[in-house]
Each structure stands twice: as structure tokens, then as C-alpha cells.
Amino acid sequence: MRSRSARRSAWSFTTGDFKIDQTPVGGAPFDLHTFAKYGHEGVLALFSDSTNVERPGFTPSERAVVPRIEELCRSAPRRVILSCFASSIHRIQQVIDIASRVNRKIAFVGRSMVDNVEIAHSLELLRIPDGMVVRQQDIRGFDPKRIIILASGTQAEPMSSLSRIAVDNHRFVSVDENDSVILSARIIPGNENQFSACWTTCSGAARWFITIIPRESSTFPGTRARKSRNSCCNS
């Protein structure tokens, strides 16, 4: 968002929470030229927001998650339950693409996940092959070796899909022996206790439970810019 000062011929600029990806999944690069244009016109104040601003270096590309997630999905003996932020359309697209490559169908679980997928698909921001989607009500009867369930609730929010799945209180999904649960998100500060309780319950039922710590894992590169990217925008 940008606005021009009434008293001075300069812009005030608000980035919102952002990430600069040099190899974006959607193909459209970050528009650094427009940033530079506003800089040349004069910026009175830049309000730059990123939860990773204190972490050094550069946030890896979204494409960095593909090899590890695909490896996990390909080697899973039964059903895969994968959770990511429902607002991360690029991550959702990558999971859809991976499901196609490993010969699995995809099911979307959780109100925010379903709503965002429907909106993104209607705007042609998501590519979903025909016949790829399994309806929620058909999950229990579907071959567990041929499905990936993409669920919302990465932060173990009360009554979120993944929280209810963890305590076997979901209408359509439960975690069975030899299922694989993958979390492709980081824990937001303040959610540690509810997160720990939820995932301890879930990991007790699943064959393996994979928690993702961004700086140590290639299954979640981060969706916010780190210090070097913020310095780039400031310059």
C-alpha cells in the first residue's frame, strides 16, 4: 500500500508481510522495478513488516520444499495427512503437483482450506487436474495408499481440522496406524502449548509425525522475508 504525503511530494510505503522469491512457483517475479521507481520518486517513510526480519540471510524459495515433501509422500505406506497455511496458495499448488506425480489424489479438509482453494481455483490461481479431488465425505472409503489429505490448522487452533483429527473427533478423517502426518509450517510464537498438546496426541497414533522447523528443514523454507531481503527493500 502506498500514499502520498499531503505536505511533501513523497510517498509513504507499507509492504505488509512479504517475501521476495527469485524463482516463484507462480512464475511472476517480485516487482523490484516498481519498488525502485517509488524510491526514485522519494519515500518519506517505509513501513516494512516481516516476522523473520531478525533472522539473518535470505529466505529460500518456495521451490525448495518440493524434493523433501515429494520424497515423504512417495515413500508413505498409507495415507498422507499434510498441513500448511491455507493462505499459502503456492504451497497448496506444489502439494497438488506432487500428488499427481506420486499417483495420489488430493482431498481438502478445513473451512479455510476449502474456501481458499475454491476462490484460488475460480481465479485461475490454482491448477487442479480433472478428477484429482476426492470429496471429504469420500475420504474414509478411498484407498489410503492413493490419497493426500491437505488440512488446515497448522497452529493447532481450537476446533481446527487438524486439532480435531488429532483427537479423533473429525467427521471425515482420523489418523490410523501407518498413516503419515506432515506439518509444513512453523510454530507462531504464543501457540507453543496448544501446538505441543495437539501434535503429541497425533504422533501417538501415526506411523511417523514430522514437525517442521524452518531453519533446519527443507519442507518449510519460510514465507516471510529475512534480514537481507528487508535490507534490499530499504536500499
mmCIF file of all heavy atoms in Angstrom, residues 77-125:
data_model
loop_
_atom_site.group_PDB
_atom_site.id
_atom_site.type_symbol
_atom_site.label_atom_id
_atom_site.label_comp_id
_atom_site.label_asym_id
_atom_site.label_seq_id
_atom_site.Cartn_x
_atom_site.Cartn_y
_atom_site.Cartn_z
ATOM 1 N N PRO A 77 3.608 -45.399 3.305
ATOM 2 C CA PRO A 77 2.950 -46.679 3.037
ATOM 3 C C PRO A 77 1.434 -46.579 2.953
ATOM 4 O O PRO A 77 0.788 -47.444 2.353
ATOM 5 C CB PRO A 77 3.377 -47.542 4.226
ATOM 6 C CG PRO A 77 3.601 -46.559 5.328
ATOM 7 C CD PRO A 77 4.145 -45.326 4.669
ATOM 8 N N ARG A 78 0.885 -45.544 3.585
ATOM 9 C CA ARG A 78 -0.573 -45.381 3.569
ATOM 10 C C ARG A 78 -0.926 -43.917 3.348
ATOM 11 O O ARG A 78 -0.227 -43.196 2.664
ATOM 12 C CB ARG A 78 -1.178 -45.902 4.896
ATOM 13 C CG ARG A 78 -1.517 -47.394 4.900
ATOM 14 C CD ARG A 78 -2.058 -47.823 6.247
ATOM 15 N NE ARG A 78 -3.143 -46.965 6.721
ATOM 16 C CZ ARG A 78 -4.437 -47.210 6.528
ATOM 17 N NH1 ARG A 78 -4.816 -48.300 5.865
ATOM 18 N NH2 ARG A 78 -5.353 -46.391 7.019
ATOM 19 N N ARG A 79 -1.978 -43.518 3.972
ATOM 20 C CA ARG A 79 -2.497 -42.170 3.798
ATOM 21 C C ARG A 79 -1.514 -41.116 4.284
ATOM 22 O O ARG A 79 -0.807 -41.294 5.269
ATOM 23 C CB ARG A 79 -3.810 -42.068 4.580
ATOM 24 C CG ARG A 79 -4.506 -40.758 4.460
ATOM 25 C CD ARG A 79 -5.866 -40.745 5.143
ATOM 26 N NE ARG A 79 -6.173 -41.946 5.896
ATOM 27 C CZ ARG A 79 -7.387 -42.247 6.341
ATOM 28 N NH1 ARG A 79 -8.384 -41.446 6.099
ATOM 29 N NH2 ARG A 79 -7.603 -43.334 7.025
ATOM 30 N N VAL A 80 -1.462 -39.984 3.572
ATOM 31 C CA VAL A 80 -0.661 -38.831 3.970
ATOM 32 C C VAL A 80 -1.601 -37.698 4.369
ATOM 33 O O VAL A 80 -2.498 -37.332 3.606
ATOM 34 C CB VAL A 80 0.259 -38.349 2.821
ATOM 35 C CG1 VAL A 80 0.968 -37.049 3.221
ATOM 36 C CG2 VAL A 80 1.272 -39.419 2.459
ATOM 37 N N ILE A 81 -1.399 -37.180 5.565
ATOM 38 C CA ILE A 81 -2.134 -36.000 6.023
ATOM 39 C C ILE A 81 -1.115 -34.872 6.130
ATOM 40 O O ILE A 81 -0.197 -34.927 6.950
ATOM 41 C CB ILE A 81 -2.826 -36.243 7.374
ATOM 42 C CG1 ILE A 81 -3.800 -37.424 7.265
ATOM 43 C CG2 ILE A 81 -3.556 -34.989 7.847
ATOM 44 C CD1 ILE A 81 -4.362 -37.887 8.588
ATOM 45 N N LEU A 82 -1.252 -33.874 5.296
ATOM 46 C CA LEU A 82 -0.286 -32.777 5.239
ATOM 47 C C LEU A 82 -0.998 -31.473 5.569
ATOM 48 O O LEU A 82 -2.069 -31.191 5.048
ATOM 49 C CB LEU A 82 0.360 -32.697 3.860
ATOM 50 C CG LEU A 82 1.527 -31.718 3.701
ATOM 51 C CD1 LEU A 82 2.531 -32.255 2.686
ATOM 52 C CD2 LEU A 82 1.068 -30.333 3.284
ATOM 53 N N SER A 83 -0.390 -30.697 6.444
ATOM 54 C CA SER A 83 -0.987 -29.428 6.839
ATOM 55 C C SER A 83 -0.052 -28.274 6.505
ATOM 56 O O SER A 83 1.153 -28.334 6.768
ATOM 57 C CB SER A 83 -1.298 -29.417 8.342
ATOM 58 O OG SER A 83 -2.019 -28.244 8.696
ATOM 59 N N CYS A 84 -0.614 -27.233 5.904
ATOM 60 C CA CYS A 84 0.118 -25.996 5.644
ATOM 61 C C CYS A 84 -0.851 -24.840 5.836
ATOM 62 O O CYS A 84 -2.046 -25.051 6.048
ATOM 63 C CB CYS A 84 0.707 -25.990 4.231
ATOM 64 S SG CYS A 84 -0.519 -25.893 2.906
ATOM 65 N N PHE A 85 -0.348 -23.628 5.790
ATOM 66 C CA PHE A 85 -1.224 -22.469 5.921
ATOM 67 C C PHE A 85 -2.196 -22.429 4.747
ATOM 68 O O PHE A 85 -1.788 -22.531 3.583
ATOM 69 C CB PHE A 85 -0.413 -21.175 5.961
ATOM 70 C CG PHE A 85 0.357 -20.987 7.242
ATOM 71 C CD1 PHE A 85 1.737 -21.064 7.242
ATOM 72 C CD2 PHE A 85 -0.295 -20.748 8.435
ATOM 73 C CE1 PHE A 85 2.456 -20.911 8.410
ATOM 74 C CE2 PHE A 85 0.408 -20.587 9.620
ATOM 75 C CZ PHE A 85 1.792 -20.667 9.608
ATOM 76 N N ALA A 86 -3.466 -22.256 5.030
ATOM 77 C CA ALA A 86 -4.488 -22.248 3.981
ATOM 78 C C ALA A 86 -4.340 -21.047 3.056
ATOM 79 O O ALA A 86 -4.858 -21.061 1.934
ATOM 80 C CB ALA A 86 -5.890 -22.250 4.605
ATOM 81 N N SER A 87 -3.626 -20.023 3.488
ATOM 82 C CA SER A 87 -3.413 -18.838 2.654
ATOM 83 C C SER A 87 -2.232 -18.995 1.706
ATOM 84 O O SER A 87 -2.017 -18.155 0.833
ATOM 85 C CB SER A 87 -3.184 -17.610 3.545
ATOM 86 O OG SER A 87 -2.066 -17.811 4.394
ATOM 87 N N SER A 88 -1.463 -20.071 1.868
ATOM 88 C CA SER A 88 -0.271 -20.281 1.036
ATOM 89 C C SER A 88 -0.668 -21.019 -0.235
ATOM 90 O O SER A 88 -0.510 -22.239 -0.349
ATOM 91 C CB SER A 88 0.796 -21.066 1.807
ATOM 92 O OG SER A 88 1.956 -21.219 1.024
ATOM 93 N N ILE A 89 -1.157 -20.272 -1.211
ATOM 94 C CA ILE A 89 -1.655 -20.871 -2.450
ATOM 95 C C ILE A 89 -0.541 -21.580 -3.208
ATOM 96 O O ILE A 89 -0.752 -22.647 -3.796
ATOM 97 C CB ILE A 89 -2.316 -19.794 -3.342
ATOM 98 C CG1 ILE A 89 -3.470 -19.118 -2.583
ATOM 99 C CG2 ILE A 89 -2.831 -20.413 -4.631
ATOM 100 C CD1 ILE A 89 -4.541 -20.063 -2.103
ATOM 101 N N HIS A 90 0.652 -21.025 -3.202
ATOM 102 C CA HIS A 90 1.769 -21.670 -3.884
ATOM 103 C C HIS A 90 2.115 -23.008 -3.239
ATOM 104 O O HIS A 90 2.436 -23.978 -3.945
ATOM 105 C CB HIS A 90 2.989 -20.760 -3.888
ATOM 106 C CG HIS A 90 2.874 -19.609 -4.827
ATOM 107 N ND1 HIS A 90 3.756 -18.553 -4.828
ATOM 108 C CD2 HIS A 90 1.975 -19.340 -5.810
ATOM 109 C CE1 HIS A 90 3.413 -17.686 -5.772
ATOM 110 N NE2 HIS A 90 2.328 -18.144 -6.364
ATOM 111 N N ARG A 91 2.083 -23.083 -1.911
ATOM 112 C CA ARG A 91 2.357 -24.357 -1.245
ATOM 113 C C ARG A 91 1.284 -25.385 -1.599
ATOM 114 O O ARG A 91 1.587 -26.563 -1.844
ATOM 115 C CB ARG A 91 2.411 -24.137 0.271
ATOM 116 C CG ARG A 91 2.826 -25.356 1.083
ATOM 117 C CD ARG A 91 4.307 -25.672 0.916
ATOM 118 N NE ARG A 91 5.109 -24.472 1.079
ATOM 119 C CZ ARG A 91 5.460 -23.956 2.270
ATOM 120 N NH1 ARG A 91 5.097 -24.546 3.380
ATOM 121 N NH2 ARG A 91 6.191 -22.864 2.329
ATOM 122 N N ILE A 92 0.043 -24.949 -1.621
ATOM 123 C CA ILE A 92 -1.059 -25.843 -1.990
ATOM 124 C C ILE A 92 -0.864 -26.359 -3.407
ATOM 125 O O ILE A 92 -1.063 -27.553 -3.682
ATOM 126 C CB ILE A 92 -2.408 -25.113 -1.840
ATOM 127 C CG1 ILE A 92 -2.674 -24.799 -0.361
ATOM 128 C CG2 ILE A 92 -3.553 -25.953 -2.412
ATOM 129 C CD1 ILE A 92 -3.859 -23.882 -0.129
ATOM 130 N N GLN A 93 -0.470 -25.471 -4.328
ATOM 131 C CA GLN A 93 -0.245 -25.891 -5.706
ATOM 132 C C GLN A 93 0.870 -26.941 -5.784
ATOM 133 O O GLN A 93 0.760 -27.930 -6.531
ATOM 134 C CB GLN A 93 0.139 -24.680 -6.570
ATOM 135 C CG GLN A 93 0.379 -25.020 -8.036
ATOM 136 C CD GLN A 93 -0.881 -25.482 -8.734
ATOM 137 O OE1 GLN A 93 -1.797 -24.700 -8.950
ATOM 138 N NE2 GLN A 93 -0.944 -26.760 -9.085
ATOM 139 N N GLN A 94 1.903 -26.761 -5.015
ATOM 140 C CA GLN A 94 3.003 -27.722 -5.046
ATOM 141 C C GLN A 94 2.570 -29.082 -4.522
ATOM 142 O O GLN A 94 2.978 -30.121 -5.051
ATOM 143 C CB GLN A 94 4.183 -27.177 -4.244
ATOM 144 C CG GLN A 94 4.835 -25.991 -4.930
ATOM 145 C CD GLN A 94 6.061 -25.504 -4.212
ATOM 146 O OE1 GLN A 94 7.157 -25.560 -4.732
ATOM 147 N NE2 GLN A 94 5.893 -25.010 -3.001
ATOM 148 N N VAL A 95 1.737 -29.104 -3.499
ATOM 149 C CA VAL A 95 1.248 -30.381 -2.974
ATOM 150 C C VAL A 95 0.348 -31.066 -4.005
ATOM 151 O O VAL A 95 0.412 -32.287 -4.182
ATOM 152 C CB VAL A 95 0.501 -30.165 -1.646
ATOM 153 C CG1 VAL A 95 -0.112 -31.486 -1.155
ATOM 154 C CG2 VAL A 95 1.442 -29.609 -0.580
ATOM 155 N N ILE A 96 -0.477 -30.290 -4.702
ATOM 156 C CA ILE A 96 -1.315 -30.856 -5.772
ATOM 157 C C ILE A 96 -0.431 -31.472 -6.851
ATOM 158 O O ILE A 96 -0.679 -32.592 -7.314
ATOM 159 C CB ILE A 96 -2.230 -29.765 -6.371
ATOM 160 C CG1 ILE A 96 -3.256 -29.300 -5.345
ATOM 161 C CG2 ILE A 96 -2.939 -30.284 -7.626
ATOM 162 C CD1 ILE A 96 -4.042 -28.075 -5.771
ATOM 163 N N ASP A 97 0.609 -30.755 -7.261
ATOM 164 C CA ASP A 97 1.521 -31.265 -8.292
ATOM 165 C C ASP A 97 2.243 -32.528 -7.822
ATOM 166 O O ASP A 97 2.425 -33.480 -8.588
ATOM 167 C CB ASP A 97 2.540 -30.190 -8.671
ATOM 168 C CG ASP A 97 1.900 -28.985 -9.346
ATOM 169 O OD1 ASP A 97 0.756 -29.110 -9.827
ATOM 170 O OD2 ASP A 97 2.543 -27.911 -9.373
ATOM 171 N N ILE A 98 2.669 -32.526 -6.570
ATOM 172 C CA ILE A 98 3.346 -33.701 -6.014
ATOM 173 C C ILE A 98 2.396 -34.897 -5.985
ATOM 174 O O ILE A 98 2.778 -36.018 -6.343
ATOM 175 C CB ILE A 98 3.878 -33.397 -4.600
ATOM 176 C CG1 ILE A 98 5.075 -32.433 -4.680
ATOM 177 C CG2 ILE A 98 4.273 -34.677 -3.873
ATOM 178 C CD1 ILE A 98 5.510 -31.881 -3.343
ATOM 179 N N ALA A 99 1.156 -34.663 -5.574
ATOM 180 C CA ALA A 99 0.170 -35.748 -5.522
ATOM 181 C C ALA A 99 0.001 -36.387 -6.894
ATOM 182 O O ALA A 99 -0.078 -37.616 -7.020
ATOM 183 C CB ALA A 99 -1.165 -35.214 -5.010
ATOM 184 N N SER A 100 -0.030 -35.568 -7.928
ATOM 185 C CA SER A 100 -0.171 -36.088 -9.284
ATOM 186 C C SER A 100 1.029 -36.948 -9.669
ATOM 187 O O SER A 100 0.875 -38.025 -10.275
ATOM 188 C CB SER A 100 -0.334 -34.924 -10.266
ATOM 189 O OG SER A 100 -0.474 -35.394 -11.586
ATOM 190 N N ARG A 101 2.228 -36.508 -9.295
ATOM 191 C CA ARG A 101 3.443 -37.234 -9.674
ATOM 192 C C ARG A 101 3.589 -38.566 -8.926
ATOM 193 O O ARG A 101 4.172 -39.510 -9.455
ATOM 194 C CB ARG A 101 4.683 -36.366 -9.442
ATOM 195 C CG ARG A 101 4.805 -35.220 -10.414
ATOM 196 C CD ARG A 101 6.217 -34.659 -10.415
ATOM 197 N NE ARG A 101 6.584 -34.049 -9.159
ATOM 198 C CZ ARG A 101 6.376 -32.781 -8.843
ATOM 199 N NH1 ARG A 101 5.756 -31.973 -9.706
ATOM 200 N NH2 ARG A 101 6.772 -32.297 -7.682
ATOM 201 N N VAL A 102 3.074 -38.636 -7.694
ATOM 202 C CA VAL A 102 3.205 -39.875 -6.917
ATOM 203 C C VAL A 102 1.947 -40.735 -7.021
ATOM 204 O O VAL A 102 1.759 -41.668 -6.246
ATOM 205 C CB VAL A 102 3.543 -39.574 -5.437
ATOM 206 C CG1 VAL A 102 4.842 -38.784 -5.335
ATOM 207 C CG2 VAL A 102 2.403 -38.838 -4.740
ATOM 208 N N ASN A 103 1.087 -40.394 -7.973
ATOM 209 C CA ASN A 103 -0.108 -41.198 -8.265
ATOM 210 C C ASN A 103 -1.071 -41.239 -7.087
ATOM 211 O O ASN A 103 -1.597 -42.301 -6.726
ATOM 212 C CB ASN A 103 0.272 -42.620 -8.700
ATOM 213 C CG ASN A 103 -0.886 -43.347 -9.361
ATOM 214 O OD1 ASN A 103 -1.741 -42.740 -10.002
ATOM 215 N ND2 ASN A 103 -0.927 -44.660 -9.190
ATOM 216 N N ARG A 104 -1.295 -40.091 -6.486
ATOM 217 C CA ARG A 104 -2.276 -39.972 -5.411
ATOM 218 C C ARG A 104 -3.285 -38.887 -5.768
ATOM 219 O O ARG A 104 -2.973 -37.936 -6.488
ATOM 220 C CB ARG A 104 -1.603 -39.631 -4.079
ATOM 221 C CG ARG A 104 -0.802 -40.778 -3.461
ATOM 222 C CD ARG A 104 -0.122 -40.336 -2.181
ATOM 223 N NE ARG A 104 0.686 -41.388 -1.578
ATOM 224 C CZ ARG A 104 0.331 -42.090 -0.502
ATOM 225 N NH1 ARG A 104 -0.818 -41.832 0.106
ATOM 226 N NH2 ARG A 104 1.126 -43.027 -0.015
ATOM 227 N N LYS A 105 -4.479 -39.023 -5.228
ATOM 228 C CA LYS A 105 -5.495 -37.985 -5.337
ATOM 229 C C LYS A 105 -5.336 -37.031 -4.163
ATOM 230 O O LYS A 105 -4.585 -37.290 -3.214
ATOM 231 C CB LYS A 105 -6.903 -38.596 -5.340
ATOM 232 C CG LYS A 105 -7.152 -39.623 -6.427
ATOM 233 C CD LYS A 105 -7.130 -39.010 -7.805
ATOM 234 C CE LYS A 105 -7.513 -40.039 -8.858
ATOM 235 N NZ LYS A 105 -7.487 -39.485 -10.226
ATOM 236 N N ILE A 106 -6.057 -35.924 -4.202
ATOM 237 C CA ILE A 106 -5.957 -34.908 -3.150
ATOM 238 C C ILE A 106 -7.328 -34.617 -2.569
ATOM 239 O O ILE A 106 -8.322 -34.602 -3.287
ATOM 240 C CB ILE A 106 -5.316 -33.613 -3.706
ATOM 241 C CG1 ILE A 106 -4.904 -32.669 -2.576
ATOM 242 C CG2 ILE A 106 -6.239 -32.914 -4.674
ATOM 243 C CD1 ILE A 106 -3.499 -32.835 -2.146
ATOM 244 N N ALA A 107 -7.372 -34.436 -1.256
ATOM 245 C CA ALA A 107 -8.606 -34.040 -0.579
ATOM 246 C C ALA A 107 -8.307 -32.811 0.266
ATOM 247 O O ALA A 107 -7.236 -32.718 0.881
ATOM 248 C CB ALA A 107 -9.144 -35.174 0.292
ATOM 249 N N PHE A 108 -9.232 -31.874 0.282
ATOM 250 C CA PHE A 108 -9.061 -30.636 1.049
ATOM 251 C C PHE A 108 -9.986 -30.673 2.261
ATOM 252 O O PHE A 108 -11.189 -30.910 2.130
ATOM 253 C CB PHE A 108 -9.370 -29.422 0.179
ATOM 254 C CG PHE A 108 -8.534 -29.352 -1.068
ATOM 255 C CD1 PHE A 108 -9.074 -29.677 -2.304
ATOM 256 C CD2 PHE A 108 -7.194 -28.989 -1.003
ATOM 257 C CE1 PHE A 108 -8.313 -29.619 -3.456
ATOM 258 C CE2 PHE A 108 -6.418 -28.933 -2.157
ATOM 259 C CZ PHE A 108 -6.977 -29.256 -3.379
ATOM 260 N N VAL A 109 -9.414 -30.417 3.446
ATOM 261 C CA VAL A 109 -10.162 -30.512 4.692
ATOM 262 C C VAL A 109 -9.955 -29.239 5.509
ATOM 263 O O VAL A 109 -8.821 -28.779 5.665
ATOM 264 C CB VAL A 109 -9.719 -31.743 5.504
ATOM 265 C CG1 VAL A 109 -10.363 -31.739 6.879
ATOM 266 C CG2 VAL A 109 -10.069 -33.027 4.759
ATOM 267 N N GLY A 110 -11.034 -28.697 6.026
ATOM 268 C CA GLY A 110 -10.978 -27.471 6.816
ATOM 269 C C GLY A 110 -11.633 -26.329 6.063
ATOM 270 O O GLY A 110 -11.407 -26.168 4.863
ATOM 271 N N ARG A 111 -12.436 -25.542 6.758
ATOM 272 C CA ARG A 111 -13.201 -24.487 6.085
ATOM 273 C C ARG A 111 -12.302 -23.503 5.359
ATOM 274 O O ARG A 111 -12.555 -23.167 4.193
ATOM 275 C CB ARG A 111 -14.073 -23.743 7.109
ATOM 276 C CG ARG A 111 -14.906 -22.628 6.499
ATOM 277 C CD ARG A 111 -15.824 -22.004 7.526
ATOM 278 N NE ARG A 111 -16.760 -22.982 8.064
ATOM 279 C CZ ARG A 111 -17.628 -22.717 9.032
ATOM 280 N NH1 ARG A 111 -17.657 -21.517 9.583
ATOM 281 N NH2 ARG A 111 -18.449 -23.650 9.461
ATOM 282 N N SER A 112 -11.248 -23.029 6.020
ATOM 283 C CA SER A 112 -10.372 -22.042 5.371
ATOM 284 C C SER A 112 -9.652 -22.658 4.186
ATOM 285 O O SER A 112 -9.469 -21.997 3.156
ATOM 286 C CB SER A 112 -9.372 -21.468 6.375
ATOM 287 O OG SER A 112 -8.551 -22.497 6.912
ATOM 288 N N MET A 113 -9.251 -23.912 4.310
ATOM 289 C CA MET A 113 -8.567 -24.579 3.198
ATOM 290 C C MET A 113 -9.509 -24.733 2.006
ATOM 291 O O MET A 113 -9.154 -24.404 0.868
ATOM 292 C CB MET A 113 -8.052 -25.947 3.642
ATOM 293 C CG MET A 113 -7.301 -26.714 2.565
ATOM 294 S SD MET A 113 -5.728 -25.940 2.100
ATOM 295 C CE MET A 113 -4.752 -26.232 3.587
ATOM 296 N N VAL A 114 -10.695 -25.235 2.259
ATOM 297 C CA VAL A 114 -11.668 -25.443 1.183
ATOM 298 C C VAL A 114 -12.047 -24.112 0.528
ATOM 299 O O VAL A 114 -12.082 -24.000 -0.701
ATOM 300 C CB VAL A 114 -12.922 -26.165 1.718
ATOM 301 C CG1 VAL A 114 -14.027 -26.194 0.659
ATOM 302 C CG2 VAL A 114 -12.579 -27.588 2.144
ATOM 303 N N ASP A 115 -12.327 -23.090 1.344
ATOM 304 C CA ASP A 115 -12.725 -21.786 0.803
ATOM 305 C C ASP A 115 -11.615 -21.177 -0.045
ATOM 306 O O ASP A 115 -11.862 -20.673 -1.152
ATOM 307 C CB ASP A 115 -13.092 -20.828 1.936
ATOM 308 C CG ASP A 115 -14.417 -21.186 2.604
ATOM 309 O OD1 ASP A 115 -15.160 -22.024 2.044
ATOM 310 O OD2 ASP A 115 -14.700 -20.636 3.678
ATOM 311 N N ASN A 116 -10.378 -21.203 0.454
ATOM 312 C CA ASN A 116 -9.269 -20.602 -0.283
ATOM 313 C C ASN A 116 -8.980 -21.342 -1.577
ATOM 314 O O ASN A 116 -8.657 -20.725 -2.602
ATOM 315 C CB ASN A 116 -8.016 -20.565 0.590
ATOM 316 C CG ASN A 116 -8.082 -19.484 1.653
ATOM 317 O OD1 ASN A 116 -9.059 -18.748 1.743
ATOM 318 N ND2 ASN A 116 -7.058 -19.391 2.463
ATOM 319 N N VAL A 117 -9.079 -22.659 -1.542
ATOM 320 C CA VAL A 117 -8.860 -23.439 -2.759
ATOM 321 C C VAL A 117 -9.919 -23.115 -3.796
ATOM 322 O O VAL A 117 -9.615 -22.938 -4.985
ATOM 323 C CB VAL A 117 -8.846 -24.944 -2.439
ATOM 324 C CG1 VAL A 117 -8.962 -25.776 -3.717
ATOM 325 C CG2 VAL A 117 -7.570 -25.316 -1.690
ATOM 326 N N GLU A 118 -11.168 -23.031 -3.373
ATOM 327 C CA GLU A 118 -12.248 -22.721 -4.313
ATOM 328 C C GLU A 118 -12.068 -21.336 -4.927
ATOM 329 O O GLU A 118 -12.237 -21.151 -6.137
ATOM 330 C CB GLU A 118 -13.603 -22.814 -3.605
ATOM 331 C CG GLU A 118 -14.013 -24.249 -3.269
ATOM 332 C CD GLU A 118 -15.361 -24.310 -2.567
ATOM 333 O OE1 GLU A 118 -15.879 -23.237 -2.179
ATOM 334 O OE2 GLU A 118 -15.887 -25.424 -2.407
ATOM 335 N N ILE A 119 -11.714 -20.359 -4.107
ATOM 336 C CA ILE A 119 -11.522 -18.996 -4.609
ATOM 337 C C ILE A 119 -10.332 -18.941 -5.563
ATOM 338 O O ILE A 119 -10.417 -18.372 -6.666
ATOM 339 C CB ILE A 119 -11.324 -18.012 -3.438
ATOM 340 C CG1 ILE A 119 -12.612 -17.880 -2.626
ATOM 341 C CG2 ILE A 119 -10.889 -16.640 -3.960
ATOM 342 C CD1 ILE A 119 -12.436 -17.128 -1.322
ATOM 343 N N ALA A 120 -9.199 -19.529 -5.148
ATOM 344 C CA ALA A 120 -7.995 -19.503 -5.987
ATOM 345 C C ALA A 120 -8.220 -20.239 -7.304
ATOM 346 O O ALA A 120 -7.766 -19.794 -8.361
ATOM 347 C CB ALA A 120 -6.827 -20.130 -5.229
ATOM 348 N N HIS A 121 -8.959 -21.332 -7.262
ATOM 349 C CA HIS A 121 -9.228 -22.087 -8.489
ATOM 350 C C HIS A 121 -10.137 -21.296 -9.422
ATOM 351 O O HIS A 121 -9.937 -21.289 -10.642
ATOM 352 C CB HIS A 121 -9.865 -23.435 -8.137
ATOM 353 C CG HIS A 121 -9.992 -24.356 -9.302
ATOM 354 N ND1 HIS A 121 -11.211 -24.789 -9.781
ATOM 355 C CD2 HIS A 121 -9.057 -24.909 -10.116
ATOM 356 C CE1 HIS A 121 -11.022 -25.576 -10.827
ATOM 357 N NE2 HIS A 121 -9.725 -25.668 -11.050
ATOM 358 N N SER A 122 -11.132 -20.620 -8.849
ATOM 359 C CA SER A 122 -12.046 -19.824 -9.679
ATOM 360 C C SER A 122 -11.329 -18.647 -10.330
ATOM 361 O O SER A 122 -11.724 -18.194 -11.411
ATOM 362 C CB SER A 122 -13.222 -19.322 -8.832
ATOM 363 O OG SER A 122 -12.797 -18.359 -7.879
ATOM 364 N N LEU A 123 -10.263 -18.155 -9.690
ATOM 365 C CA LEU A 123 -9.476 -17.045 -10.234
ATOM 366 C C LEU A 123 -8.312 -17.542 -11.093
ATOM 367 O O LEU A 123 -7.486 -16.740 -11.524
ATOM 368 C CB LEU A 123 -8.930 -16.178 -9.093
ATOM 369 C CG LEU A 123 -9.971 -15.447 -8.242
ATOM 370 C CD1 LEU A 123 -9.302 -14.759 -7.062
ATOM 371 C CD2 LEU A 123 -10.734 -14.430 -9.083
ATOM 372 N N GLU A 124 -8.271 -18.842 -11.318
ATOM 373 C CA GLU A 124 -7.217 -19.486 -12.110
ATOM 374 C C GLU A 124 -5.833 -19.294 -11.498
ATOM 375 O O GLU A 124 -4.820 -19.237 -12.204
ATOM 376 C CB GLU A 124 -7.244 -18.985 -13.560
ATOM 377 C CG GLU A 124 -8.562 -19.291 -14.268
ATOM 378 C CD GLU A 124 -8.555 -18.878 -15.731
ATOM 379 O OE1 GLU A 124 -7.606 -18.177 -16.142
ATOM 380 O OE2 GLU A 124 -9.487 -19.265 -16.453
ATOM 381 N N LEU A 125 -5.793 -19.222 -10.170
ATOM 382 C CA LEU A 125 -4.529 -19.144 -9.456
ATOM 383 C C LEU A 125 -4.062 -20.524 -9.001
ATOM 384 O O LEU A 125 -2.926 -20.676 -8.545
ATOM 385 C CB LEU A 125 -4.659 -18.219 -8.241
ATOM 386 C CG LEU A 125 -4.996 -16.760 -8.554
ATOM 387 C CD1 LEU A 125 -5.199 -15.977 -7.270
ATOM 388 C CD2 LEU A 125 -3.912 -16.123 -9.410
#
